[in-house]
Amino acid sequence: MRQLCKGNVAVVKAALMAGCRSFYGYPITPASEIAEYAALLIPQAGGTFVQAESEVSAINMVYGASCAGQRVMTASSGPGISLMQEGISYLAGAELPCVIADIMRGGPGLGNISPEQSDYFCMTKGGGHGCYRNIVLAPSSVQEMAALTMLAFELADKYRNPAVLLADGYVGQMMEPLELEMTEAIQPAKPWAVRGTPETHGNLVSSIYLTNDLMEEHVRKLEAKYLECERSECRWETYRAEDAEVLVIGYGIVSRILRTAVDVARAHGLKAGLFRPITLWPFPSQALRQAAEKVEKVLVVELSTGQMVEDVRLALNGRIPVEFYSRVGGNVPSAEKIHSELMAHMEALV
Amino acid sequence: MNDYTVVHEKAPAFFDRFARKDENQHQTHYCPGCGHGVVHKMIADALTELGVQQRTILVSPVGCSVFAYYYFDTGNVQAAHGRAPAVATALKRSNPESIVISYQGDGDLAAIGTAEIVHAANRGENITVFFVNNSIYGMTGGQMAPTTLLGQISTTTPWGRRPNNDGMPIKMCEMLSALEAPAYIERVALSDAKHILQARKAVKKALELQTQHAGFSMVEILSPCPTILKMEPTVARHWVGEVLAKQFPLGVYRDHRAEFVPVDVPQKPLAELLGLGGEKLSDAERQSRRKNTQARTIKVAGFGGQGVLLLGQLLAEMGMREHMEVSWLPSYGPEMRSGSAHCHVTLAHERIGAPVITRPEVLIAMNEPSLRKFGPMVQVGGMILYNGRELPEDLQFEGTTVHCIPASQIADEIGAAKVANVVMLGAMLEATNCLPLATARTVLADMVKNPKLSEMNDRALDVGREYLDQDVLALAVAGPDGCGE
């Protein structure tokens, strides 16, 4: 049965389905409903919810729970994510799985609480120190908030690495029908965990490697893991892209607007198509190259002054022109505006 | 037969050989005369005496004791600088039967990690903290610690610690004992044999309390750092007792169990918590069951408190129950708390693209500012439902059907101002026919459990619908522009 559900609430429900019984967080708009519903639901399922004294503490509690072998998550937005970056680096360095939901708002600084997509860099490129990556998933609907939360737990465990649900404020705040089906959460054994039991008492979780060679060995091990992740985990979606002359590219709420814009453009005779990355890291570069093989131009649309567009340019490597359009500060473009942008760029081509 | 007599055995909680060390695996990395070795030994002995080594987790901090895990044959976790109490919190919560130790130096606990220690203590986390205070940063080479004494020279206090520039040495036992939750806080010193014996007792007691689930315990250990303080080990020990302990008085600061009355949370089956159940329909099945519905893009706007967001949710819920595709997108944030609120509702028969509606087909304007702001954005051929007897004189909307319904006034007459949104819902359903009225009744009945309010909602729906009918009749007389009289 479908239930009308807020994106943020869907995250908590999906986390419970995935077997997550540990949530450590700190409130921030527009992510707060995740902590609120975690506080409401997780203890009723026998789990732990703690409101930490800061995002710094919250992410370190996540670190502790992950050390103990728990499926654990936290949620925040821009300023809170900045504070968590140290902990995220430690989690990646110590190869600890966890899920972090970032419901993006306007920045930099205190910014505002309206939707933006300006945490793309700090989440996909590693906002903390050291050579690491987060697995970054970008939902565009309430149903996907749930589906990708569950996938995030799976990938985090598979790669022993933080996985991020990167959504904008709109996807977090909107309500749509959500359909959940009861499934048994399959969790891998974690023989490396430190649980305070005789079986695990010899285990050590750490990210310190004092000698150069051991440090390099560790960083290379992480690198190999990330390469494997790039090979195996890219996800994307296309819409009317098969015969497209122009490809629009966007993720999250923007991809929904672009989908409508594609229909508007097609109704006006312009063969437009949509490419939507679902994994922002690993970025589906190869899939994008294939989708863009026959197009004359691509238009990237973001609620940032240009972050994902860099990955698009890297993927296409100068083969075709990459145009960019953005709104920031909480403003979102209309499908009609995107259509007029498209028309202008295509006319310029002629 | 050995040709020697064992006087003190190595504590079994230590590894036989420190294999995690790169070299010199038979000795620690601590300097001669350093207090860490002594504190390690006390902890290791206590773990053995209490029989808890197998279930102990030691959290190593950043500082000289960053490699504590070289030595302890326990579960080991290395934490970021200052964060050990937060890490320990979750380790313990995850496995309440484990014995969790947060081992921290003065910079780690009393400078960068001040927030973490205060709040772990304040939550009464059932963990044990050993706080080694040697008044200086050892590992980074002798910079000022939060516990450096006034006048004490360090590499970052070249004229000595100056109160006007660096503040005062921080007293953590005194600070934390101001909290209600901690069970046990004591300050001891490694100054001489007598005090070392007292320290041993305190270390063991703090761990024993954890096995009894007593709550938060911390032992601050004043400790010598001969290398950085440039003192002979015996002089450094003496200095701890004669000088350091003057600033940081020894003694028990707290020794009683926190008297919490635990509040248990009721447990529920997962399916119930998640709202699972009912039948799953395919897209085709949904389509075939969809009757008497029309796709619409709707904007609802008004003052915060007028039930604007709720009205939008009602519409979305109704659409969903009628097997439509729906989305509801609110304005959110500070404007929710006062001022204006609006939301976008899409009722569709296809997968919904943009849930952001720039040009709605229907506007429900619960107040005049919303009408002025959003009225001009309504699509040609669209509809405005305005909460008022008539349009403000200076406003007209070409090509748009306008219905004026004094919903707030009607709601007052019904007996509750808050049903004004339901009056508008009744009128809107009558005017658009986009969803069946019966569904509105079901949804409202499901959402409102208070029978009196439920009755008022029912009336509000009817009155809204009836008012609209009269309005349409009047419109037919008055012509399509503006409100009927």
Side-chain angles (χ1 to χ4, degrees):
Chain A
M1 190 180 68
R2 299 191 301 168
Q3 48 180 307
L4 190 65
C5 187
K6 211 171 218 205
N8 283 344
V9 179
V11 170
V12 179
K13 293 193 168 186
L16 276 164
M17 302 249 308
C20 168
R21 295 292 181 275
S22 301
F23 188 102
Y24 299 88
Y26 189 84
I28 185 169
T29 310
S32 292
E33 294 86 355
I34 302 183
E36 289 167 357
Y37 273 80
L40 178 69
L41 299 182
I42 290 182
Q44 292 191 76
T48 302
F49 169 88
V50 176
Q51 179 168 329
E53 55 273 23
S54 68
E55 289 88 349
V56 174
S57 294
I59 196 71
N60 280 281
M61 290 175 186
V62 167
Y63 180 99
S66 186
C67 283
Q70 299 282 311
R71 274 198 164 167
V72 57
M73 79 169 294
T74 189
S76 193
S77 183
I81 293 294
S82 294
L83 283 174
M84 288 186 181
Q85 293 293 0
E86 175 202 46
I88 297 173
S89 167
Y90 274 74
L91 281 151
E95 295 190 86
L96 292 172
C98 70
V99 172
I100 301 155
D102 177 1
I103 312 301
M104 291 181 283
R105 55 186 254 169
L110 205 46
N112 69 13
I113 57 172
S114 301
E116 263 195 11
Q117 296 181 320
S118 45
D119 295 355
Y120 181 95
F121 277 158
C122 80
M123 282 319 213
T124 64
K125 309 291 178 189
H129 57 284
C131 292
Y132 76 94
R133 295 289 195 169
N134 297 315
I135 297 165
V136 183
L137 308 173
S140 69
S141 66
V142 171
Q143 188 69 43
E144 260 195 357
M145 284 290 259
L148 295 185
T149 297
M150 286 193 262
L151 178 64
F153 278 104
E154 194 186 311
L155 293 179
D157 277 344
K158 182 174 173 187
Y159 290 94
R160 287 185 61 182
N161 199 72
V164 173
L165 193 75
L166 192 68
D168 49 79
Y170 269 165
V171 178
Q173 293 294 322
M174 69 191 284
M175 289 179 103
E176 285 183 325
L178 169 70
E179 184 126 51
L180 294 173
E181 269 184 284
M182 197 53 141
T183 48
E184 191 71 31
I186 299 162
Q187 299 195 39
K190 297 177 178 174
W192 47 265
V194 180
R195 299 176 199 267
T197 56
E199 304 76 50
T200 64
H201 105 275
N203 288 351
L204 164 68
V205 174
S206 168
S207 61
I208 185 169
Y209 295 87
L210 210 56
T211 62
N212 300 358
D213 288 344
L214 285 178
M215 187 74 234
E216 178 162 33
E217 192 183 310
H218 179 63
V219 174
R220 294 291 179 207
K221 182 186 167 200
L222 297 182
E223 183 190 27
K225 200 167 77 172
Y226 295 137
L227 287 171
E228 171 56 29
C229 192
E230 282 181 329
R231 275 191 293 274
S232 313
E233 306 300 346
C234 288
R235 286 165 171 81
W236 67 93
E237 183 190 58
T238 57
Y239 175 65
R240 304 181 85 168
E242 298 73 27
D243 62 341
E245 291 163 4
V246 59
L247 208 53
V248 286
I249 306 174
Y251 67 96
I253 194 73
V254 171
S255 68
R256 300 277 296 262
I257 299 167
L258 296 184
R259 196 182 158 92
T260 304
V262 164
D263 290 339
V264 173
R266 292 241 170 197
H268 286 81
L270 176 63
K271 282 186 177 173
L274 167 69
F275 184 88
R276 170 172 86 99
I278 296 172
T279 52
L280 299 179
W281 194 89
F283 191 78
S285 301
Q286 199 180 338
L288 174 59
R289 276 193 292 277
Q290 279 167 9
E293 232 161 38
K294 289 175 197 149
V295 308
E296 293 168 50
K297 206 166 228 188
V298 306
L299 172 67
V300 178
V301 182
E302 287 181 72
L303 305 182
S304 83
T305 50
Q307 300 196 3
M308 183 184 70
V309 66
E310 294 192 1
D311 283 331
V312 172
R313 291 198 168 114
L314 281 172
L316 298 178
N317 202 17
R319 206 184 62 72
I320 45 172
V322 176
E323 304 292 349
F324 180 66
Y325 179 76
S326 74
R327 291 301 304 268
V328 288
N331 292 316
V332 289
S334 64
E336 292 72 24
K337 175 65 190 164
I338 302 296
H339 171 236
S340 66
E341 280 293 310
L342 272 177
M343 292 305 285
H345 287 305
M346 291 310 279
E347 276 162 23
L349 205 66
V350 182
Chain B
M1 279 278 296
N2 290 332
D3 58 355
Y4 53 83
T5 317
V6 174
V7 181
H8 295 295
E9 269 194 83
K10 179 192 74 67
F14 283 143
F15 288 116
D16 285 333
R17 194 168 57 85
F18 305 137
R20 285 177 178 146
K21 270 190 95 199
D22 209 25
E23 51 192 6
N24 297 328
Q25 293 181 345
H26 62 287
Q27 65 186 51
T28 73
H29 70 286
Y30 297 118
C31 308
C34 169
H36 279 303
V38 181
V39 180
H40 281 21
K41 176 79 159 61
M42 288 173 180
I43 296 171
D45 284 342
L47 293 180
T48 307
E49 286 163 24
L50 295 170
V52 294
Q53 180 195 345
Q54 296 283 307
R55 57 187 175 108
T56 294
I57 304 173
L58 181 83
V59 185
S60 305
V62 169
C64 279
S65 45
V66 64
F67 297 121
Y69 62 80
Y70 282 174
Y71 313 118
F72 286 91
D73 186 6
T74 58
N76 280 286
V77 168
Q78 213 290 314
H81 200 17
R83 318 297 174 218
V87 174
T89 291
L91 283 165
K92 184 72 182 189
R93 298 267 189 141
S94 300
N95 291 291
E97 291 310 311
S98 60
I99 298 298
V100 179
I101 300 171
S102 177
Y103 187 107
Q104 300 181 263
D106 40 42
D108 197 78
L109 181 138
I112 196 168
T114 322
E116 284 76 5
I117 192 64
V118 169
H119 287 274
N122 192 49
R123 287 188 302 266
E125 296 293 345
N126 190 30
I127 60 172
T128 304
V129 179
F130 295 119
F131 167 36
V132 180
N133 174 2
N134 59 15
S135 86
I136 199 81
Y137 279 37
M139 182 179 240
T140 45
Q143 297 81 10
M144 182 186 73
T147 52
T148 293
L149 302 179
L150 283 184
Q152 187 180 334
I153 293 191
S154 75
T155 58
T156 51
T157 54
W159 298 281
R161 182 174 189 156
R162 296 178 290 145
N164 50 325
N165 194 63
D166 311 311
M168 301 294 286
I170 197 164
K171 297 180 173 180
M172 292 309 295
C173 287
E174 288 84 339
M175 257 179 73
L176 295 182
S177 59
L179 302 172
E180 289 176 55
Y184 172 56
I185 296 173
E186 181 169 358
R187 184 183 285 128
V188 297
L190 305 181
S191 49
D192 53 49
K194 183 182 144 214
H195 283 98
I196 289 174
L197 279 176
Q198 177 54 34
R200 272 185 78 89
K201 279 188 200 153
V203 165
K204 185 173 174 186
K205 179 173 176 176
L207 285 166
E208 194 165 21
L209 284 170
Q210 189 179 163
T211 66
Q212 296 161 0
H213 303 275
F216 181 87
S217 60
M218 182 180 89
V219 181
E220 176 176 345
I221 303 147
L222 303 184
S223 175
C225 180
T227 302
I228 302 289
L229 297 179
K230 298 187 176 65
M231 295 175 188
E232 290 293 320
T234 50
V235 176
R237 246 170 64 160
H238 189 68
W239 181 84
V240 165
E242 292 299 310
V243 181
L244 202 55
K246 290 281 185 298
Q247 175 67 31
F248 299 105
L250 307 185
V252 177
Y253 285 81
R254 172 66 63 88
D255 191 8
H256 69 76
R257 291 186 183 205
E259 285 170 17
F260 294 142
V261 181
V263 179
D264 290 328
V265 173
Q267 301 294 294
K268 277 189 188 159
L270 201 54
E272 191 182 330
L273 283 176
L274 301 178
L276 302 187
E279 62 179 336
K280 191 188 174 185
L281 300 179
S282 68
D283 286 351
E285 283 167 324
R286 272 212 301 275
Q287 207 168 341
S288 71
R289 293 191 190 194
R290 211 177 281 150
K291 290 188 185 91
N292 309 319
T293 61
Q294 290 178 37
R296 281 286 187 287
T297 54
I298 305 155
K299 189 156 194 158
V300 190
F303 291 125
Q306 283 187 311
V308 164
L309 301 185
L310 184 64
L311 175 50
Q313 280 181 26
L314 285 170
L315 285 164
E317 176 75 33
M318 288 168 63
M320 185 185 73
R321 292 202 192 181
E322 288 301 318
H323 309 290
M324 300 182 85
E325 298 303 326
V326 301
S327 70
W328 171 88
L329 185 70
S331 60
Y332 61 85
E335 60 188 48
M336 244 162 79
R337 289 167 189 91
S338 63
S340 68
H342 69 261
C343 61
H344 310 226
V345 178
T346 306
L347 305 171
H349 293 144
E350 311 283 331
R351 175 172 160 173
I352 296 169
V356 191
I357 302 166
T358 22
R359 297 185 59 82
E361 293 163 340
V362 178
L363 170 68
I364 302 176
M366 295 297 289
N367 65 5
E368 192 183 318
S370 305
L371 177 70
R372 288 184 183 277
K373 189 170 176 188
F374 300 119
M377 298 177 190
V378 175
Q379 285 185 22
V380 174
M383 180 185 290
I384 295 173
L385 294 113
Y386 172 55
N387 174 18
R389 211 161 262 293
E390 55 193 33
L391 282 184
E393 277 181 13
D394 61 320
L395 283 184
Q396 48 179 323
F397 300 100
E398 299 272 328
T400 307
T401 308
V402 179
H403 295 292
C404 296
I405 303 106
S408 295
Q409 201 182 327
I410 293 172
D412 281 339
E413 285 161 15
I414 291 173
K418 62 177 167 185
V419 300
N421 57 351
V422 182
V423 174
M424 290 302 266
L425 177 63
M428 187 268 191
L429 295 178
E430 186 67 8
T432 61
N433 269 322
C434 64
L435 287 162
L437 191 73
T439 315
R441 290 198 201 283
T442 325
V443 169
L444 278 167
D446 287 351
M447 284 168 85
V448 180
K449 297 296 170 204
N450 175 344
K452 203 174 158 204
L453 185 59
S454 197
E455 204 180 300
M456 283 195 277
N457 275 329
D458 254 356
R459 276 200 59 205
L461 269 182
D462 287 333
V463 179
R465 183 169 56 90
E466 286 158 15
Y467 193 93
L468 194 278
D469 284 341
Q470 291 167 16
D471 193 51
V472 170
L473 279 176
L475 265 182
V477 177
D481 295 321
C483 289
E485 289 299 318

